[in-house]
């Protein structure tokens, strides 16, 4: 392990959506930035987590490199670091940075507390840094501990139960009646923040039979390049809506876009589900009076969201307790990493003494006698080394390892011994 674990973060807590969108990194950009970090700063361990709500760089270094890393991030996205600095948080204390990653990884710092997408996003970030040979012993151990914590959170708490975002609740609502429909066609109207979240949720859940329409056609077409959905012009909505079984609308309009008269004009009235996430409403509530038409408004969807959020918030103390327990074990391991080179040097020094002494007498010993001597002296070395190793590990927990390391270095001249 080289240096201390540190982190820089630009997240929804400080940064506006426009900035977060601009600096979000895809897989190729993450790997390119990792390569630059490695080449410019000779960092051997680094991880980049980039989602719609945060872009963060975690790294091992003896120096605070936050300013330089911001410049590399800014250059990668074609902007200036001065545009990012006001929105950046830094964690230069290792204990704070490690805890922060645990809390981010479990969803405690998500815009939607307990975000169910975070575990897979964390795994992707870890895989990408491993692909670039930027995950060493520290990050390997840290990330697998984060995964273990997530497993415990999922199994032991209600922290990820239910749909805790409006968009996720909307998709979860349509999933409740999907079995009633055969190959349903889904239409999403509007690509504001809510509409984009709905589209991303559908995409992340594996749906590929949905269509999107937005007032600004280019915005829908640009998004469709990464999510591969059909786009129809907004001006064609009224003539096209009859083709769809499920309509999710988050369009801003002063009067309903989808009206009772429109539905009554449908030539064939099959069962349709309307989910209105707009304020004011963009779907006429009276449509529900037509046989086979079902309308959900924002209040009904939000009620499901609120119930899930309350359950998740109630689970936060339990999640924090699980993190605390994991941190104790991880910090013990991390502290022992500090003394690991000294332990190896001490073992090597004592082993060399044993071999040198054995060499003096090997010529006068029979093969059987030599084997016995090898066994006896090796056993003696194991017993001799045991107490210093235990004392070093105990000193780690007391925060006194450096003093004992200095003593052992002086006693056995370990500075000249290879680890």
């Amino acid at each position: 392990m080289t240096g201390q674990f540190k982190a820089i973060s630009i997240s929804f807590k400080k940064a506006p959506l426009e900035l977060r969108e601009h600096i979000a990194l895809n897989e190729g950009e993450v790997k390119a930035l990792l390569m630059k970090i490695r080449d410019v700063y000779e960092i051997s361990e680094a991880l980049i987590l980039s989602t719609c709500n945060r872009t963060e760089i975690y790294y091992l270094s003896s120096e605070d490199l936050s300013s330089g890393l911001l410049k590399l991030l800014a250059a990668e996205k074609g902007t200036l670091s001065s545009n990012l600095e006001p929105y950046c948080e830094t964690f230069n204390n290792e204990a704070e940075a490690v805890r922060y990653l645990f809390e981010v990884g479990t969803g405690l710092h998500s815009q939607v507390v307990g975000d169910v997408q975070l575990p897979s996003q964390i795994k992707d970030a870890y895989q990408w840094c491993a692909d670039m040979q930027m995950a060493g012993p520290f990050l390997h151990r840290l990330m697998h501990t984060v995964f273990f914590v997530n497993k415990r959170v999922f199994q032991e708490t209600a922290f990820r139960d239910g749909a805790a975002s409006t968009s996720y609740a909307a998709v979860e609502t349509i999933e409740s009646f999907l079995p009633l429909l055969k190959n349903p066609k889904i239409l999403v109207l509007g690509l504001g923040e809510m509409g984009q979240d709905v589209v991303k949720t559908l995409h992340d859940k594996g749906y590929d039979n949905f269509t999107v329409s937005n007032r600004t056609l280019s915005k829908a077409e640009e998004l469709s390049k990464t999510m591969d959905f059909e786009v129809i012009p907004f001006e064609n909505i009224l003539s096209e809506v009859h083709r769809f079984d499920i309509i999710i609308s988050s369009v801003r309009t002063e009067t309903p876009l989808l009206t009772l008269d429109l539905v009554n004009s449908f030539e064939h009235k099959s069962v349709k589900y309307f989910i209105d996430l707009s304020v004011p409403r963009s779907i006429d509530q009276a449509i529900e009076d037509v046989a086979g038409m079902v309308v959900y408004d924002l209040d009904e969807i939000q009620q499901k969201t609120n119930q899930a959020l309350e359950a998740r918030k109630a689970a936060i103390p339990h999640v924090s307790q699980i993190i605390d327990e994991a941190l104790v074990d991880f910090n013990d391991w991390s502290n022992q990493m500090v003394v690991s080179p000294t332990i190896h040097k001490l073992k090597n020094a004592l082993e060399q003494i044993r071999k040198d002494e054995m060499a003096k007498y090997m010529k006068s010993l029979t093969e059987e006698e030599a084997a016995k001597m090898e066994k006896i002296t090796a056993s003696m070395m194991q017993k001799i080394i045991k107490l210093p190793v235990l004392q070093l590990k105990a000193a780690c927990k007391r925060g006194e390892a450096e003093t004992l390391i200095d003593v052992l270095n002086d006693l056995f001249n370990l500075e000249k011994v290879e680890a």
Side-chain angles (χ1 to χ4, degrees):
M1 176 176 148
T2 304
Q4 297 288 305
F5 188 65
K6 299 176 174 64
I8 61 173
S9 169
I10 298 174
S11 75
F12 71 93
K13 292 181 180 180
K14 286 187 173 184
L17 177 62
E18 294 77 13
L19 178 69
R20 302 198 310 270
E21 286 179 329
H22 182 65
I23 65 169
L25 302 161
N26 59 33
E27 179 180 352
E29 291 170 328
V30 165
K31 290 181 176 179
L33 183 54
L34 283 170
M35 189 180 299
K36 289 174 185 174
I37 290 172
R38 181 180 61 201
D39 293 344
V40 173
Y41 294 108
E42 297 183 349
I43 290 176
S44 60
E45 298 196 51
L47 177 139
I48 298 173
L49 175 64
S50 189
T51 72
C52 57
N53 284 324
R54 64 183 67 250
T55 293
E56 298 175 333
I57 302 174
Y58 300 86
Y59 64 101
L60 271 177
S61 175
S62 56
E63 302 176 53
D64 173 9
L65 302 177
S66 53
S67 178
L69 294 177
L70 270 186
K71 288 179 180 178
L72 289 180
L73 171 60
E76 182 68 32
K77 300 304 295 185
T79 187
L80 299 173
S81 60
S82 57
N83 295 332
L84 308 183
E85 287 169 359
Y87 308 103
C88 182
E89 288 183 275
T90 60
F91 301 86
N92 289 323
N93 177 277
E94 180 168 291
E96 291 177 1
V98 169
R99 175 175 283 278
Y100 180 71
L101 178 56
F102 272 97
E103 292 176 349
V104 167
T106 51
L108 284 174
H109 289 300
S110 296
Q111 194 166 26
V112 178
V113 65
D115 188 348
V116 294
Q117 297 178 20
L118 240 304
S120 62
Q121 291 168 339
I122 286 279
K123 286 182 179 179
D124 285 342
Y126 175 46
Q127 182 62 58
W128 297 342
C129 80
D131 290 343
M132 302 305 293
Q133 286 83 49
M134 292 290 279
F138 187 89
L139 267 178
H140 282 309
R141 181 74 175 228
L142 178 59
M143 296 310 297
H144 282 282
T145 309
V146 170
F147 300 151
F148 177 69
V149 166
N150 265 316
K151 183 178 180 180
R152 283 194 61 190
V153 167
F154 179 77
Q155 292 177 338
E156 300 175 23
T157 76
F159 194 56
R160 295 215 171 87
D161 292 354
S165 71
T166 303
S167 59
Y168 205 91
V171 174
E172 196 173 73
T173 298
I174 73 172
E175 287 179 325
S176 66
F177 48 75
L178 279 178
L180 305 176
L181 303 170
K182 185 177 181 180
N183 298 322
K185 294 181 178 179
I186 303 170
L187 174 64
V188 179
L189 298 176
L191 282 177
E193 190 166 355
M194 185 86 74
Q196 286 189 59
D197 284 346
V198 169
V199 168
K200 288 175 182 176
T201 302
L202 286 169
H203 177 264
D204 290 342
K205 280 178 164 283
Y207 293 101
D208 55 9
N209 61 332
F210 64 93
T211 301
V212 175
S213 185
N214 188 57
R215 283 194 176 98
T216 304
L217 181 62
S218 59
K219 186 174 183 179
E221 290 176 334
E222 185 65 27
L223 194 60
S224 71
K225 292 177 183 177
T226 57
M227 299 192 187
D228 194 25
F229 52 74
E230 183 185 348
V231 176
I232 57 176
F234 196 76
E235 56 269 23
N236 296 351
I237 287 300
L238 299 185
S239 60
E240 295 279 353
V241 72
H242 68 92
R243 297 194 294 112
F244 297 91
D245 306 292
I246 300 168
I247 298 95
I248 305 173
S249 176
S250 60
V251 176
R252 290 188 179 182
T253 176
E254 293 304 315
T255 58
L257 175 67
L258 306 182
T259 64
L260 179 61
D261 289 341
L262 175 66
V263 172
N264 282 329
S265 71
F266 292 166
E267 189 173 340
H268 302 289
K269 292 186 176 63
S270 57
V271 174
K272 295 186 187 300
Y273 294 87
F274 297 84
I275 297 179
D276 191 352
L277 305 178
S278 309
V279 179
R281 296 177 186 180
S282 59
I283 300 174
D284 190 344
Q285 192 71 26
I287 290 174
E288 195 161 42
D289 295 335
V290 179
M293 304 295 156
V294 181
V295 180
Y296 291 85
D297 63 22
L298 183 60
D299 284 348
E300 292 174 287
I301 300 298
Q302 196 65 51
Q303 185 177 0
K304 294 182 67 174
T305 302
N306 292 338
Q307 289 170 348
L309 276 174
E310 290 305 312
R312 291 186 181 190
K313 288 177 181 177
I316 287 177
H318 192 178
V319 174
S320 296
Q321 180 185 344
I322 291 172
I323 290 175
D324 288 341
E325 292 169 3
L327 279 171
V328 170
D329 290 338
F330 179 79
N331 288 335
D332 283 348
W333 173 85
S334 181
N335 289 334
Q336 288 178 24
M337 284 279 285
V338 175
V339 301
S340 181
T342 301
I343 291 173
H344 285 296
K345 284 183 177 183
L346 181 59
K347 287 181 176 179
N348 289 345
L350 293 177
E351 178 64 11
Q352 190 60 50
I353 293 171
R354 186 184 76 84
K355 286 182 176 180
D356 290 345
E357 290 303 304
M358 281 284 292
K360 294 178 182 178
Y361 304 102
M362 288 297 286
K363 292 179 180 179
S364 62
L365 298 177
T366 64
E367 186 174 332
E368 184 179 351
E369 290 172 334
K372 285 183 180 180
M373 285 293 292
E374 176 70 27
K375 186 176 181 180
I376 292 169
T377 54
S379 177
M380 288 174 62
M381 285 299 102
Q382 288 295 324
K383 287 181 168 58
I384 291 170
I385 194 71
K386 183 177 180 181
L387 185 57
V389 168
L390 290 175
Q391 291 294 339
L392 270 172
K393 291 181 177 180
C396 279
K397 294 184 178 181
R398 299 194 304 270
E400 300 171 356
E402 288 187 9
T403 302
L404 192 50
I405 288 173
D406 289 341
V407 170
L408 289 172
N409 280 336
D410 291 341
L411 285 175
F412 294 94
N413 199 19
L414 299 183
E415 297 292 342
K416 296 182 179 180
V417 179
E418 290 187 10

